[in-house]
Amino acid sequence: MDDVLLGVALVEEATKKSGLVWVRGDGPARALWHAWLDGAAHVVGDGPGEQPLPGLADGAVAEVTVRSKDKGGRLVAWTASVTELAPRSEEWLAAVAELKGKRLNAPDGEAMTDRWARECRVLRLTPRDTLTDLPDGSLAAPPLPSPATTRQPVPAALPRLLFKRGRKKRG
């Protein structure tokens, strides 16, 4: 019994402190930002401008791997029951209140929660009674396809504009 309580405490504390968890449902693992509330991790996504949640369906089981916020290494892995929260339900409102504070760079500010209700899914990942063994090896894999982009080539005129600013006019 003490091992079970220790496992529950480890999952909760590690997941609360980590800003990012790796979640694998029916498909490859994805890094997801989350909020911990009432004994479960909550994620929002599958809408325009939000994180994708492929393979995570209501009633499914997912494997969650928690990383260290400081070093980025794996701390603990656990199995979760996935529950989709009904928009604007009491549970949904509580989860969204926590998630809203963790969402960085939202394009619509306070209107974000209305957009989440219309266009996104909020999922509750509840730990089951099993901790899983951490895998051996790095688990490195090529990046998954994403609409996000990285740096584009520097426009040809930019260096001239930047160097022109540094010169002082003599007169």
Side-chain angles (χ1 to χ4, degrees):
M1 186 66 169
D2 288 339
D3 288 344
V4 172
L5 292 176
L6 183 61
V8 169
L10 176 63
V11 164
E12 182 171 347
E13 197 61 26
T15 308
K16 271 185 189 178
K17 289 187 177 186
S18 180
L20 189 69
V21 292
W22 288 89
V23 181
R24 182 174 54 232
D26 190 22
R30 289 221 179 236
L32 303 176
W33 64 272
H34 69 284
W36 184 269
L37 176 70
D38 295 333
H42 293 78
V43 296
V44 63
D46 277 353
E50 298 297 340
Q51 61 191 351
L53 304 173
L56 297 176
D58 191 36
V61 175
E63 185 174 313
V64 179
T65 303
V66 181
R67 70 178 186 102
S68 164
K69 190 172 186 174
D70 297 332
K71 304 288 183 186
R74 294 180 298 252
L75 291 176
V76 65
W78 46 278
T79 305
S81 299
V82 180
T83 308
E84 186 168 347
L85 304 180
R88 303 198 192 284
S89 67
E90 190 175 319
E91 264 189 316
W92 187 91
L93 291 170
V96 165
E98 287 294 317
L99 287 163
K100 188 172 133 182
K102 303 250 183 195
R103 174 64 164 96
L104 302 176
N105 303 322
D108 47 1
E110 290 301 314
M112 170 177 54
T113 55
D114 291 330
R115 179 174 53 85
W116 284 354
R118 284 188 321 270
E119 303 171 358
C120 297
R121 296 187 308 141
V122 175
L123 303 178
R124 177 182 171 92
L125 306 175
T126 308
R128 298 173 78 167
D129 57 357
T130 56
L131 285 179
T132 58
D133 292 331
L134 290 175
D136 292 331
S138 73
L139 301 180
L144 297 170
S146 168
T149 60
T150 56
R151 291 181 53 177
Q152 300 294 324
V154 175
L158 186 61
R160 285 185 302 224
L161 291 171
L162 292 176
F163 289 124
K164 193 184 274 187
R165 282 187 184 174
R167 295 183 197 151
K168 292 185 179 182
K169 293 183 180 180
R170 295 183 186 198

